[in-house]
Amino acid sequence: MPRYVMVIDQSRCVACMACVVACKRENDVPAEHYRTRVVEMVRGEFPRLRSEMRSELCNHCDNPPCVNICPTGASHKQADGTVQINRRKCVGCKACITACPYDVRYINEEHGYADKCSFCQHRLKEGKEPACVATCIGRSRMFGDLDDPNSEVSQILRETSWRTLKPEVGTKPNVYYINQFPRKS
Amino acid sequence: MELNIVGTNAITYPAMHVWDWRVAIYLFLGGLSGGLMTMSAINYLRPNRTPESTCSWQIPVLAPILLTIGLFFLNLDLERKLNAFWFYLTFKPVSPMSWGAWIVLIIYPLMILYALASLPKDVKGKIITNPAIRNAADTLQPYLLLLAKVNVIAGIILAIYTGVLLSTLVARPLWNSAILPVLFLTSGMSAGAAVMIIVAQSKEVKLFFTKIDIWLIITEVVVLLLFFYGHYTGDAAHRQAIMPFFSGSHEFFPYFLSIVALGVCLPLAIVLKFLEVTGEHTEELTTSGLLLMNASAVLVLIGGAVIRFAIVYAGQLSGYGGYM
Amino acid sequence: MAFSRRNFLKYAAMSAGGTLIADTPFLSARARAEAEGGNVRYVPTSCEMCFWKCGAIAKVEKNKQGEDVVVKLEGNPLHPQSMGKLCARGQAGIGQLYDENRLKRPMIRTGERGDGQYKEVSWEEALNYAADKLKAVIEKYGPESIAMLSHGSPGDYFTNLLKALGSGNIAFSSFAQCKGIRDAAWELTFGHKPGSSCERVDLKNSKVIVLLGTHLGENMHNSQTQEFAEAVGHGAKIICVDPRYSTAASKASLWLPIKPGTDTALLLTWMNIIISEELYDKAYVEQYTVGFEQLKESVKQYTPEWCAKETDLQEADIVAAARDLGRYAPNVVIHPGRHVAWYGNDAQRSRATAILNAILGTWGRPGGMWLPAKGKFASFNDGYPKYSDPAKAPVIKGDYPFAGGEGLTQVVRDTTITGQPYPIKAWFICGTDAMKALPDQRQTLKAIANLDLMIAVDILPSETAMMADIILPECTYLERHDGLFKVEVREAGVGLRQPAVEPMYDTKPAWWIASELCKKMGLADFAVKDSWEARMRRQATAWGIDYDKLADTGYVSLPDSAFPYITADNQPEFKTDSEKIELFSKKLEEHNFDPVPKYEPTDEPEKGMYRLLYGRSPVHTFSRTINDQWLWELYKENQVWLNKKEAESLGVKDRQYVRLENQDKVVSDPIQVKVTERIRRDCVYMVHGFGHNAPRLSRAHKSGADDQQLITRYKVDPITGGTGMRVNFVKIIKEA
């Protein structure tokens, strides 16, 4: 069984929003709702500034608070490491939305179920990368199987220093961030 | 720092708006009905109970009604009400919500059986028209003592549970405190005692629960202080989580106001109740004495509601990290 | 052991229990559709959300009613301009296709011009009406009184119509308002433009990249931004010269927040440092250039100390940047830029950019600029008769000796107003919102008021289109054939545009509209013989390309066409008079221009005024995508960027709405202030294309403010006729 992870190279993100639109189209995400976002933070005073860019999405945590709180098992962890939602079982109690430290869930208002990034599960089944990864202009997003030592993501996580978001919450994310800033050569 | 985010959802950004007054009311009424279960059972079980303690049947009937109203508000909050049956096709041992669903399912019959058992004969004849139910009530009567004992425990479980759900949410530091269930428990019990005082006719019952309530309120205040103290001495996110209550800024004014309200209601209730207990009473309570008693009970109920509302809303403002 | 994504995908597909269908990258639309089965089709085509013409693949499914619906757009991995990826706009092409505000049927104006009163008519009626009106104008004023302003693909077909009618008054905004100035300057220097649709910058191999105002990342040119990110990723030095801390600046190792209008001073000073410190590529200069001594003499005056004062930069930074360029030359590039119509002396600045590249030896060097591909395309005109020369010479080049063939839009406009040297009385407006594209809208309105006939061919009811007498609704790029496109990157190749779905409503491809008008005007010889697709097939045959393969894959490369770098047997050709790189231009000297670029200062804002700068958002193309629901959602209204200290002194808060008033007392619509450290104190910045005054665009109408409205002043570049538009100053007016 693979163990899917995403690695995001922040230095290569150009905040172009291609991932955001690709995700919305691929997954038919309703208007004004998002499964992924792009964050741009600029610190300092003119002209000494530093900027950080990164895309964010469901971290498919190994210790997922959303799965723990879900009363019906609609939110569940799969053997491939992803956190998925069984829409049929969702009662729309929204506990998972409050449980997520990363604020990546929303309610599909038409149907009432909670929704979020699935790592494009349907594409993985077809052997395709998630839509955001496939279209990432800066090749900032990388995706692969951590159980395969030869995968690109395995190699990067082995050889580079990485971090995850909000490690203090103890969620053990499967989305890893590298190169917080571009190299100042 | 300049922050620009593209792709946020209104439900979580810039502030989380997931649960609102509906959930706060549910938590309040859930806690209150738990308090009522326990308090009415205690009233039945207490020594030296005089037979004319009339509130012994109204309260057991009131408890499931209030819980039903609370669940009605909770149901209002569900986005897919027709899917609610899934609660009972699953049991998730780590999910407090799943526990909650099952607890309610078990507690409801306990409440109703107790209510039926505690109905006096004359009342039974008036309010129950269905002979089968009347029969059932008759059959249950001998088990009243047992049912009362069970209800003491069940009420405590129900009241605690209303705080357990929030306390497990690690992502919301204000809620994520093991003291929160205890706070909701004491507050629920205290509210239950307050309703006992209001509904009870006899001076004796009123004074009994006034005495109990003094201890409950004192406990509640101590637990509340410990709750804030625990956050203040906790990690940065926990400390930040209680700031809305103490910042006094325009933005967080309602939270500041809630602290003021609690700071007035609870101590004032203690003082009033203390005066009631220590004061000389005639055989029948005077109108003003009655008024004062009910007023102090209402203060307690207001305090209980304020706690639920403030914590439900403020908890959604709290979080880890953010963008710094 | 090498790791690869393909291995991962193969493994993923097997372990997930799916059939191994997408293991190989996209090679054929038919094969992929067959493998996936069901009711899905894939249609390779070329995107037109901007003008980069990325290869895109439309995924088409049948909906419940059995109609074809485009459900997803993806980049074509075979196509070198998209390399398997599409930007946000490309992904959102579906939003244009299914925009409920589209022009749906031909319309004829019934009210006053500009009041939005129209009746819907049949194509037959609209075309007959247009033909009658055109004939009347020709009768009265002659065929040259018909002009066209265009941008993008519909222009090609109407160019045919106008030329057949006998008018050469055809102008594209891409010249005077955009990159024409640069192209002319580079032709004067290298004998080549710096690229056809893509600049030939070898970013992915660069060690140092200099960007002058070019805000890659916000300026989302797909393959180029991919290469830029690649360069950032492997640690290339980025030197970003921009008064604003752009996305590109945030990736830079050196950000030079230059005083606007002084870029030429910086370029000339860099040349001085590089020459005086002998950091230039001596052998290259010796072998390939002329005029080095004159250049050396001319740039001596530009000392770093002077430059620091003039540009408001640190002297040490200026010198360090020059030394970095010298140290890593020739694997460095100074990006030629794209929209360079800034200050009215832009050809000389572009010359300076070109010359700096030349002395560093970047042309034809890895990490510099690759050499033009050597693909040869046989000429093909499908048996059309030759156009006869217009009786009266076109006005489109004005008095500017180096204006290009794309023409000067503002000269067409001026002629329409003055009637000199002859009247222009009819306009075709094809695929451009002239109100947003041309500086000084007051003049545009004046010209339109002078017209006897205005015909708009467009997809959306833009402000300009809704002033036309006749509106001919074009279908979107996802609904039409548009010809074979020459792709000229490192290699040469061919892409195409073909429909993913049938045209919606009563819309038609521009080729059909122009062709039908040809027939109505009695020019049947110039009409399309059968269908555009049939013509594309014939063209493919002429070019020696298998059309069916092209239609199935979306891109075919020409074999042995890539010769990117100079080698002993791959020598560059410079199509200049001297057949060398002209550091000193005799041609310019002949026309009394500086043969070697010189610095001339620009006007500065008065106290209390800020220079108005404008640029792009990565999710919008000018004004044309604002109404796209997927893009509008991401960036609904523009903001005016104002330095934090200035905001404090003005008492303006972040996100507060203000109006901008320019030097000519023109006041903008309300616009939100972005209070930021990311911009100099002497200028403000806003994204171009907002503030539509087009009520039929339900999302874009009155969203944000229009920079073009405030650009009432423009300085014309005397060499090329380009309209420098960064010469306007605004003050902030707080709303009561």
Side-chain angles (χ1 to χ4, degrees):
Chain A
M1 203 43 153
R3 201 180 132 209
Y4 293 126
V5 302
M6 194 179 287
V7 175
I8 294 174
D9 182 341
Q10 293 186 245
S11 72
R12 301 180 60 128
C13 174
V14 292
C16 71
M17 316 300 162
C19 53
V20 176
V21 182
C23 170
K24 290 202 71 163
R25 290 306 317 158
E26 180 72 40
N27 297 295
D28 218 0
V29 179
E32 308 283 352
H33 290 69
Y34 303 90
R35 293 182 179 190
T36 187
R37 58 179 171 251
V38 177
V39 181
E40 193 184 359
M41 286 166 277
V42 180
R43 302 173 181 90
E45 277 182 31
F46 180 91
R48 275 170 288 276
L49 299 171
R50 199 65 166 133
S51 153
E52 180 185 349
M53 289 171 185
R54 64 165 180 253
S55 46
E56 294 182 351
L57 67 162
C58 171
N59 283 281
H60 295 274
C61 305
D62 282 345
N63 180 21
C66 55
V67 170
N68 293 345
I69 198 83
C70 179
T72 64
S75 283
H76 60 284
K77 183 87 176 161
Q78 289 190 345
D80 61 6
T82 63
V83 171
Q84 303 293 351
I85 299 168
N86 183 343
R87 291 174 181 176
R88 211 165 44 94
K89 287 191 182 179
C90 178
V91 296
C93 71
K94 300 179 288 233
C96 56
I97 298 176
T98 62
C100 174
Y102 307 102
D103 292 347
V104 299
R105 288 173 169 249
Y106 61 89
I107 289 287
N108 178 311
E109 278 153 27
E110 190 188 343
H111 301 291
Y113 51 73
D115 214 347
K116 66 162 193 81
C117 160
S118 68
F119 268 172
C120 281
Q121 188 176 214
H122 59 290
R123 286 175 62 102
L124 299 181
K125 281 181 188 153
E126 295 176 352
K128 299 178 192 169
E129 295 170 309
C132 58
V133 176
T135 209
C136 179
I137 299 289
R139 230 159 57 76
S140 166
R141 292 180 186 246
M142 287 158 278
F143 187 81
D145 175 11
L146 201 56
D147 278 353
D148 172 4
N150 297 317
S151 69
E152 185 181 25
V153 290
S154 291
Q155 175 152 329
I156 289 172
L157 296 181
R158 205 162 50 230
E159 295 174 3
T160 328
S161 72
W162 49 261
R163 65 189 178 116
T164 54
L165 298 183
K166 305 187 185 184
E168 67 273 27
V169 196
T171 50
K172 296 187 182 158
N174 278 309
V175 176
Y176 298 84
Y177 291 84
I178 61 170
N179 299 330
Q180 187 170 13
F181 301 109
R183 256 189 286 172
K184 271 233 174 191
S185 46
Chain B
M1 203 224 10
E2 292 176 31
L3 175 66
N4 187 35
I5 313 180
V6 174
T8 55
N9 293 308
I11 194 167
T12 49
Y13 192 87
M16 177 167 271
H17 292 293
V18 174
W19 285 329
D20 55 13
W21 55 273
R22 291 172 290 198
V23 168
I25 287 180
Y26 159 67
L27 293 178
F28 175 66
L29 292 179
L32 174 58
S33 63
L36 287 178
M37 282 174 85
T38 304
M39 291 302 142
S40 66
I42 284 175
N43 186 37
Y44 180 80
L45 296 171
R46 74 189 161 97
N48 312 325
R49 176 173 160 269
T50 51
E52 64 271 20
S53 311
T54 49
C55 72
S56 55
W57 71 270
Q58 286 101 331
I59 294 291
V61 172
L62 190 59
I65 292 174
L66 287 178
L67 183 60
T68 306
I69 296 171
L71 287 170
F72 168 76
F73 281 107
L74 176 66
N75 202 50
L76 276 188
D77 182 71
L78 289 186
E79 303 288 335
R80 308 181 100 195
K81 300 173 181 40
L82 296 178
N83 256 13
F85 66 87
W86 277 106
F87 278 119
Y88 299 108
L89 294 182
T90 347
F91 175 64
K92 284 262 311 283
V94 290
S95 166
M97 253 206 164
S98 184
W99 274 102
W102 288 100
I103 286 173
V104 166
L105 195 72
I106 294 161
I107 276 178
Y108 245 122
L110 291 177
M111 280 178 153
I112 290 167
L113 295 179
Y114 178 59
L116 285 174
S118 62
L119 285 177
K121 249 201 182 85
D122 52 329
V123 181
K124 225 183 294 183
K126 266 185 243 161
I127 64 172
I128 303 180
T129 49
N130 186 316
I133 296 178
R134 205 180 302 170
N135 272 343
D138 292 339
T139 322
L140 283 168
Q141 198 132 29
Y143 303 102
L144 186 57
L145 184 67
L146 177 66
L147 283 168
K149 284 176 182 169
V150 171
N151 262 256
V152 172
I153 307 297
I156 290 171
I157 290 172
L158 180 58
I160 286 186
Y161 154 68
T162 59
V164 170
L165 167 64
L166 297 185
S167 78
T168 61
L169 291 158
V170 63
R172 309 295 146 206
L174 185 76
W175 296 342
N176 189 214
S177 158
I179 287 190
L180 189 69
V182 184
L183 177 65
F184 279 18
L185 170 66
T186 53
S187 160
M189 290 300 144
S190 169
V195 171
M196 292 294 290
I197 293 166
I198 293 169
V199 176
Q201 307 279 318
S202 83
K203 184 185 88 174
E204 184 229 344
V205 175
K206 278 181 187 285
L207 281 174
F208 176 74
F209 283 102
T210 299
K211 274 181 212 156
I212 286 190
D213 210 8
I214 289 174
W215 292 111
L216 285 172
I217 302 167
I218 288 172
T219 315
E220 187 179 352
V221 171
V222 170
V223 171
L224 189 63
L225 289 174
L226 286 174
F227 175 75
F228 285 126
Y229 182 70
H231 279 86
Y232 186 76
T233 54
D235 64 23
H238 279 87
R239 180 180 290 206
Q240 190 59 35
I242 57 167
M243 282 312 142
F245 295 107
F246 304 106
S247 77
S249 77
H250 179 75
E251 188 188 355
F252 299 122
F253 187 68
Y255 301 99
F256 177 69
L257 206 63
S258 70
I259 285 295
V260 173
L262 289 175
V264 172
C265 286
L266 299 181
L268 188 62
I270 293 175
V271 171
L272 290 178
K273 285 171 194 295
F274 191 72
L275 292 175
E276 288 155 20
V277 175
T278 52
E280 289 291 321
H281 293 289
T282 50
E283 190 67 22
E284 286 287 309
L285 283 171
T286 59
T287 316
S288 63
L290 203 64
L291 205 66
L292 210 59
M293 240 171 208
N294 287 346
S296 68
V298 168
L299 282 176
V300 169
L301 289 177
I302 291 172
V306 166
I307 285 179
R308 299 315 194 291
F309 272 81
I311 284 177
V312 164
Y313 279 94
Q316 294 176 74
L317 298 177
S318 68
Y320 271 90
Y323 300 99
M324 286 180 284
Chain C
M1 187 179 156
F3 59 93
S4 79
R5 266 178 202 209
R6 276 190 62 184
N7 282 348
F8 149 66
L9 290 171
K10 195 182 265 176
Y11 180 52
M14 290 187 299
S15 53
T19 45
L20 198 63
I21 47 173
D23 161 47
T24 46
F26 175 89
L27 290 171
S28 151
R30 202 175 307 131
R32 180 150 145 195
E34 273 166 21
E36 292 189 15
N39 64 358
V40 62
R41 272 196 304 131
Y42 288 94
V43 182
T45 187
S46 297
C47 183
E48 200 188 33
M49 293 301 280
C50 79
F51 301 108
W52 201 252
K53 292 202 185 94
C54 293
I57 301 167
K59 184 180 185 184
V60 183
E61 287 178 4
K62 290 229 182 291
N63 67 7
K64 279 175 193 149
Q65 287 76 44
E67 299 154 343
D68 280 341
V69 181
V70 181
V71 293
K72 181 91 196 298
L73 292 161
E74 290 184 2
N76 186 340
L78 300 174
H79 199 291
Q81 271 156 287
S82 49
M83 300 190 274
K85 298 165 189 289
L86 287 182
C87 72
R89 297 163 302 165
Q91 301 275 351
I94 297 166
Q96 188 189 61
L97 174 62
Y98 298 117
D99 190 329
E100 73 282 10
N101 297 146
R102 273 176 64 175
L103 293 167
K104 295 173 179 144
R105 270 166 280 281
M107 295 197 289
I108 292 175
R109 181 166 63 80
T110 53
E112 291 300 306
R113 195 172 269 159
D115 72 0
Q117 301 291 310
Y118 286 86
K119 62 172 179 188
E120 293 189 343
V121 297
S122 68
W123 276 100
E124 185 63 16
E125 190 180 344
L127 292 170
N128 282 332
Y129 184 77
D132 290 347
K133 290 278 180 187
L134 282 169
K135 282 174 190 161
V137 171
I138 292 170
E139 184 119 327
K140 206 165 166 191
Y141 302 104
E144 65 285 345
S145 66
I146 298 170
M148 174 172 76
L149 300 181
S150 178
H151 201 171
S153 51
D156 298 347
Y157 312 109
F158 286 89
T159 296
N160 174 54
L161 171 67
L162 264 75
K163 287 197 168 166
L165 285 170
S167 173
N169 286 321
I170 299 158
F172 291 80
S173 295
S174 48
F175 190 88
Q177 281 80 46
C178 192
K179 63 187 175 70
I181 308 154
R182 172 205 78 180
D183 290 346
W186 282 64
E187 279 176 332
L188 283 165
T189 314
F190 289 96
H192 293 277
K193 296 173 184 177
S196 51
S197 58
C198 319
E199 291 79 25
R200 284 192 291 275
V201 284
D202 196 14
L203 297 184
K204 69 176 176 191
N205 298 310
S206 293
K207 299 209 169 101
V208 181
I209 298 169
V210 177
L211 301 172
L212 285 139
T214 297
H215 47 333
L216 289 176
E218 285 149 301
N219 189 0
M220 254 317 301
H221 289 131
N222 190 346
S223 48
Q224 200 169 93
T225 311
Q226 289 189 41
E227 288 205 16
F228 176 69
E230 198 67 47
V232 172
H234 68 56
K237 247 178 208 301
I238 313 291
I239 298 170
C240 186
V241 184
D242 199 319
R244 184 179 65 97
Y245 190 73
S246 59
T247 297
S250 79
K251 304 293 177 195
S253 37
L254 183 60
W255 172 44
L256 300 174
I258 195 168
K259 183 163 101 184
T262 65
D263 309 70
T264 314
L266 180 64
L267 289 164
L268 294 169
T269 304
W270 278 347
M271 286 187 225
N272 184 22
I273 299 167
I274 286 164
I275 293 172
S276 62
E277 297 189 6
E278 299 195 10
L279 299 168
Y280 62 98
D281 191 330
K282 288 184 198 105
Y284 187 96
V285 166
E286 178 73 18
Q287 193 178 352
Y288 297 118
T289 70
V290 291
F292 181 71
E293 285 309 316
Q294 288 105 317
L295 175 72
K296 184 176 173 179
E297 201 49 42
S298 176
V299 297
K300 256 188 191 153
Q301 51 180 311
Y302 305 115
T303 64
E305 195 188 349
W306 165 83
C307 182
K309 235 179 265 166
E310 196 63 29
T311 57
D312 196 16
L313 297 172
Q314 301 292 317
E315 191 180 331
D317 288 343
I318 297 169
V319 175
R323 288 184 183 155
D324 271 335
L325 282 170
R327 179 174 163 208
Y328 291 103
N331 312 117
V332 303
V333 66
I334 298 95
H335 194 290
R338 202 167 168 93
H339 168 84
V340 295
W342 297 352
Y343 301 106
N345 56 0
D346 305 303
Q348 290 291 19
R349 188 187 61 252
S350 291
R351 275 268 295 159
T353 312
I355 292 169
L356 181 55
N357 272 297
I359 64 171
L360 292 165
T362 70
W363 185 274
R365 292 306 208 4
M369 299 188 65
W370 69 75
L371 297 175
K374 289 191 175 156
K376 286 276 172 282
F377 295 96
S379 70
F380 171 79
N381 88 335
D382 207 22
Y384 280 121
K386 275 193 81 172
Y387 306 118
S388 41
D389 282 336
K392 289 186 185 167
V395 298
I396 55 163
K397 292 193 181 183
D399 297 328
Y400 307 99
F402 298 99
E406 291 156 90
L408 305 172
T409 49
Q410 84 278 10
V411 173
V412 171
R413 185 179 67 184
D414 292 345
T415 307
T416 310
I417 296 170
T418 61
Q420 296 302 329
Y422 51 75
I424 287 181
K425 283 294 181 183
W427 277 11
F428 276 94
I429 296 271
C430 298
T432 180
D433 188 351
M435 287 293 285
K436 289 274 182 289
L438 271 63
D440 199 354
Q441 296 174 342
R442 302 171 304 183
Q443 296 288 98
T444 307
L445 288 171
K446 215 168 172 184
I448 289 173
N450 255 3
L451 293 172
D452 283 3
L453 176 63
M454 181 170 165
I455 300 175
V457 179
D458 214 329
I459 292 164
L460 287 167
S462 69
E463 180 175 2
T464 310
M466 294 314 290
M467 284 192 273
D469 307 320
I470 305 167
I471 297 174
L472 303 175
E474 192 192 5
C475 53
T476 68
Y477 71 97
L478 291 167
E479 302 163 293
R480 64 178 194 239
H481 283 98
D482 246 350
L484 305 185
F485 301 131
K486 292 177 194 171
V487 176
E488 287 169 290
V489 288
R490 291 177 179 85
E491 63 171 23
V494 179
L496 89 166
R497 182 168 295 143
Q498 55 184 341
V501 289
E502 289 294 306
M504 293 178 67
Y505 316 114
D506 200 2
T507 60
K508 297 283 185 189
W511 68 262
W512 183 90
I513 305 170
S515 175
E516 291 302 300
L517 262 178
C518 275
K519 290 181 197 163
K520 303 273 182 204
M521 295 301 291
L523 298 163
D525 287 352
F526 292 92
V528 178
K529 290 182 180 61
D530 29 34
S531 74
W532 199 258
E533 190 185 10
R535 186 191 186 278
M536 286 162 70
R537 277 184 184 278
R538 290 191 290 274
Q539 187 170 20
T541 311
W543 285 356
I545 286 167
D546 179 349
Y547 180 82
D548 290 317
K549 187 183 172 211
L550 176 61
D552 191 36
T553 61
Y555 177 76
V556 171
S557 65
L558 297 196
D560 303 322
S561 59
F563 296 92
Y565 307 129
I566 296 176
T567 60
D569 39 350
N570 185 40
Q571 286 297 309
E573 280 176 64
F574 301 107
K575 294 179 180 168
T576 53
D577 290 345
S578 60
E579 298 189 342
K580 293 202 169 190
I581 305 169
E582 301 200 336
L583 310 181
F584 178 96
S585 169
K586 278 219 177 77
K587 257 189 178 165
L588 283 174
E589 193 179 35
E590 281 161 20
H591 285 88
N592 291 323
F593 297 117
D594 290 329
V596 173
K598 285 201 167 57
Y599 174 66
E600 40 178 292
T602 337
D603 291 345
E604 291 193 27
E606 285 171 32
K607 206 172 175 319
M609 303 284 274
Y610 304 92
R611 186 183 298 276
L612 176 64
L613 302 178
Y614 52 84
R616 298 183 67 175
S617 148
V619 300
H620 286 300
T621 302
F622 321 137
S623 59
R624 46 195 286 144
T625 58
I626 315 287
N627 206 58
D628 184 306
Q629 63 162 318
W630 303 101
L631 299 175
W632 178 78
E633 194 180 297
L634 299 182
Y635 196 79
K636 293 188 175 87
E637 59 183 299
N638 56 355
Q639 297 173 310
V640 58
W641 293 37
L642 178 66
N643 178 283
K644 194 174 175 188
K645 294 206 170 65
E646 291 295 316
E648 278 164 7
S649 74
L650 291 172
V652 172
K653 292 204 169 60
D654 193 38
R655 302 195 169 264
Q656 179 180 344
Y657 279 91
V658 298
R659 289 178 193 261
L660 305 176
E661 181 185 308
N662 79 353
Q663 70 282 337
D664 295 329
K665 308 285 173 221
V666 173
V667 180
S668 76
D669 282 330
I671 180 168
Q672 230 181 35
V673 178
K674 175 188 169 90
V675 174
T676 179
E677 298 281 0
R678 297 175 62 180
I679 192 164
R680 287 173 57 89
R681 297 182 69 162
D682 54 3
C683 50
V684 294
Y685 168 87
M686 59 202 278
V687 170
H688 167 71
F690 283 85
H692 277 265
N693 182 18
R696 293 192 190 209
L697 295 176
S698 57
R699 286 172 287 272
H701 181 57
K702 295 287 175 200
S703 274
D706 181 8
D707 57 321
Q708 202 63 275
Q709 182 189 15
L710 297 166
I711 301 176
T712 49
R713 186 157 83 177
Y714 58 96
K715 266 178 100 175
V716 180
D717 179 64
I719 299 174
T720 60
T723 56
M725 298 189 280
R726 294 189 178 164
V727 294
N728 290 269
F729 306 114
V730 295
K731 64 179 176 195
I732 312 272
I733 305 177
K734 287 194 266 183
E735 294 268 75

